[in-house]
Amino acid sequence: MQPDRSGDPKRRNVVVMVDDDADDLFLAAEAIDNIAAEIDFRTLTNGAELLDYLNRQGQFTAPGSAPRPDLVLLDLNMPLMDGHTTLNLLRKQDEFRDIPVIIFSTSTAPTDIRKSYLGGANTYIAKPQSFDALCEMMRCLSEYWFDTAERLDATD
């Protein structure tokens, strides 16, 4: 399944952040607002929820409730399904392999970084320690993924 960009040239980029820490989700949403990026920011609390979202199951069956993400920010340490397991499942499904996944974790352990890249992560970023640094990181991510990087579109 490819992103459908044909209907609305002003479509906002969809970013889904998956993290079990409500404070981290709140601060990320505030950072997105602060940088005034054209982003439809969605939050989920674990990997199982992300799979339901992508497959439009459970609470995400209503039309429009789960637009295809242009980018996923994925924490590693979560209940029910951790980030490594989630990433591995995403990369095994053809329809989701092309979604950029950024591991966004407090861990800077070399084993976590290595396992993430080997599992198919596009990037690994340690969570910033201040709100200003978080805003700058979100600005950089938005500029890179939505303004600089070449992405697939529905006609590819």
Side-chain angles (χ1 to χ4, degrees):
M1 175 172 33
Q2 297 295 321
D4 179 9
R5 301 193 197 304
S6 59
D8 182 5
K10 294 184 180 183
R11 179 187 170 280
R12 292 167 51 138
N13 292 298
V14 177
V15 174
V16 175
M17 183 170 169
V18 187
D19 196 314
D20 64 316
D21 187 316
D23 290 336
D24 285 350
L25 293 172
F26 173 79
L27 289 171
E30 289 294 309
I32 295 287
D33 286 345
N34 186 279
I35 65 169
E38 288 297 315
I39 292 175
D40 178 356
F41 189 69
R42 310 282 177 123
T43 61
L44 303 170
T45 59
N46 63 66
E49 219 177 22
L50 176 63
L51 293 177
D52 280 352
Y53 177 97
L54 292 171
N55 289 298
R56 293 181 173 89
Q57 297 173 339
Q59 65 180 314
F60 303 105
T61 58
S65 67
R68 182 179 172 85
D70 296 295
L71 185 66
V72 171
L73 300 174
L74 183 61
D75 187 29
L76 290 181
N77 300 310
M78 297 179 291
L80 299 180
M81 186 182 298
D82 70 12
H84 290 300
T85 302
T86 304
L87 178 63
N88 288 331
L89 290 171
L90 286 180
R91 294 308 187 223
K92 287 180 182 176
Q93 296 184 45
D94 288 340
E95 63 271 29
F96 306 134
R97 276 192 194 138
D98 64 324
I99 298 173
V101 176
I102 296 172
I103 299 301
F104 191 53
S105 177
T106 55
S107 172
T108 57
T111 54
D112 280 335
I113 296 168
R114 180 174 174 72
K115 187 174 180 180
S116 296
Y117 280 118
L118 291 176
N122 296 89
T123 298
Y124 191 106
I125 297 174
K127 290 179 181 176
Q129 298 299 309
S130 72
F131 182 71
D132 287 342
L134 178 62
C135 290
E136 179 62 14
M137 188 219 65
M138 290 296 187
R139 185 190 61 72
C140 289
L141 282 177
S142 177
E143 286 179 1
Y144 176 75
W145 287 104
F146 305 133
D147 298 335
T148 305
E150 296 294 333
R151 299 184 290 161
L152 294 175
D153 94 25
T155 61
D156 289 343

